[in-house]
Amino acid sequence: QVQLVESGGGLVQPGGSLRLSCAASRNIRSSDVMGWYRQAPGKQRELVATITTAGRTGYADSVRGRFTISGDNAANTVYLQMNSLEPEDTAVYYCNRRGPLTGILWGRGTQVTVSS
């Protein structure tokens, strides 16, 4: 059973933009927190951004001001708009869902490569 599916990754030049999507197969609960993480080769997986169903958001310092997380509750979908991309943003980006009734769920990841 696939419960989180990421899409939208690809190859872009520095300064370019991408929008990632995460579709949940089950309704997102009001107590859930959705998030995006990323992992580059040789690095630990790190938090990028989070959002609640009420619209509260949080960002890692490295992406604040460049990335925007948003959600569509009716569509059970979370987005990550990435602007002003830098080579340092290159990583596999993972969707995450967690909550007291949900547990912790991960998508399989989507590759983002920023290179000229």
Side-chain angles (χ1 to χ4, degrees):
Q1 180 181 9
V2 178
Q3 300 199 51
L4 298 174
V5 179
E6 303 99 332
S7 62
L11 173 64
V12 296
Q13 294 185 331
S17 298
L18 284 174
R19 189 180 76 155
L20 306 183
S21 298
C22 173
S25 61
R26 300 291 184 91
N27 290 344
I28 300 173
R29 299 181 176 94
S30 61
S31 56
D32 287 345
V33 177
M34 302 293 295
W36 288 97
Y37 289 70
R38 67 186 182 186
Q39 187 167 24
K43 299 291 184 64
Q44 297 290 319
R45 187 172 299 186
E46 64 176 349
L47 176 67
V48 175
T50 59
I51 189 169
T52 70
T53 56
R56 295 171 57 196
T57 60
Y59 298 92
D61 290 341
S62 58
V63 307
R64 187 175 292 109
R66 299 188 298 119
F67 292 9
T68 302
I69 189 170
S70 62
D72 184 337
N73 291 335
N76 292 310
T77 303
V78 175
Y79 306 96
L80 184 68
Q81 178 67 46
M82 304 183 294
N83 299 325
S84 301
L85 284 163
E86 305 167 353
E88 293 74 19
D89 296 316
T90 296
V92 177
Y93 284 70
Y94 297 91
C95 184
N96 171 266
R97 174 183 176 182
R98 64 181 65 201
L101 299 177
T102 297
I104 302 174
L105 301 174
W106 293 95
R108 294 173 181 173
T110 184
Q111 177 72 47
V112 172
T113 302
V114 185
S115 176
S116 60

